[in-house]
Amino acid sequence: MLPAACAGCGAERVPMRYGVCTPCSVGLEGLRPGPTAPSPVPPGLPPCTALGAYDGVLRDVLLGYKERGRHGLAVPLGALLADVVAASLGGTRGGVLLVPVPATAKAARDRHGDHMARLARRAAGHLRRAGWPTAVSMPVRALPRPDSAELGATARAVAAESAFRIRAGRVAALRGAAAGRAVVVVDDIVTTGVTLAAVSRELKMVDVQVDRVAVLAATQLRYG
């Protein structure tokens, strides 16, 4: 009922579109996806593409969307994620299957929904309109685990090893959806890469090969 501040810079009483003022929107649209990788690269992590560094406007908008209930930000973030997916595949149009990293049940409750599932659906719509036959599949479930934001690199790796399972009864449908499509795992942020590698390994165990990983932001931390 009260006017919200810009999710990027905090400016109040300025014209906004989907929760972001014009200067911040221009800043986000000026980001260009590129390859990224944590150091060291965890085993099983496919080639990864990110929109930009987890800093500045991008960081604040992601936090607003993920942690502060600004669900309207799914509109611009979904469009940006579609750009990252397209860049990760080299711009060659073809069938795409997006697999979002799932939230735990507790995180989904706290955030009033699975934030990456919402973004994946938005991104798929943009890709389809741009001529990419795109589907979204959620065959992986997240088991209860500590919030990764509170864990160090070693603890993240340990938690990720047993954090995900393929949903019972979804394997046949998953293989059918993946046939003839590029499989891209999507997430909001890559830090150590262990979560993305763990999801990719789970898919590989049921004979679904992940071709690429696409994320909105990559931290600047280096490990090892």
Side-chain angles (χ1 to χ4, degrees):
M1 296 178 66
L2 299 175
C6 170
C9 65
E12 298 181 346
R13 303 184 185 280
V14 296
M16 291 191 293
R17 183 173 173 81
Y18 301 117
V20 182
C21 70
T22 299
C24 288
S25 178
V26 170
L28 290 173
E29 291 171 356
L31 296 172
R32 293 293 177 265
T36 188
S39 179
V41 177
L45 180 66
C48 183
T49 302
L51 177 66
Y54 185 57
D55 195 15
V57 172
L58 181 57
R59 176 183 180 274
D60 290 337
V61 169
L62 280 170
L63 285 173
Y65 169 66
K66 185 177 177 179
E67 305 295 350
R68 297 168 188 153
R70 302 284 295 269
H71 291 172
L73 295 169
V75 177
L77 289 175
L80 293 169
L81 182 59
D83 290 342
V84 181
V85 172
S88 74
L89 297 172
T92 302
R93 282 172 171 75
V96 181
L97 181 66
L98 301 182
V99 179
V101 171
T104 63
K106 180 180 184 304
R109 287 194 302 271
D110 291 345
R111 295 168 181 158
H112 304 285
D114 188 319
H115 71 290
M116 279 313 304
R118 192 183 299 118
L119 286 187
R121 289 191 290 267
R122 290 277 183 181
H126 283 280
L127 288 166
R128 284 193 291 267
R129 288 190 289 274
W132 304 67
T134 305
V136 178
S137 180
M138 300 185 61
V140 184
R141 65 186 181 98
L143 305 179
R145 67 184 188 277
D147 189 339
S148 61
E150 302 173 357
L151 303 178
T154 302
R156 282 173 185 255
V158 172
E161 285 299 321
S162 57
F164 303 100
R165 292 290 184 274
I166 298 294
R167 295 179 185 274
R170 296 285 184 91
V171 175
L174 170 63
R175 289 172 177 165
R181 297 174 186 254
V183 179
V184 182
V185 172
V186 294
D187 202 1
D188 51 357
I189 305 163
V190 59
T191 304
T192 63
V194 294
T195 296
L196 291 158
V199 171
S200 299
R201 287 195 299 270
E202 286 294 315
L203 293 170
K204 187 175 181 180
M205 288 177 64
V206 294
D207 300 322
V208 174
Q209 183 67 44
V210 176
D211 297 287
R212 295 287 188 274
V213 166
V215 299
L216 286 166
T219 62
Q220 296 300 303
L221 298 176
R222 291 296 178 259
Y223 299 91

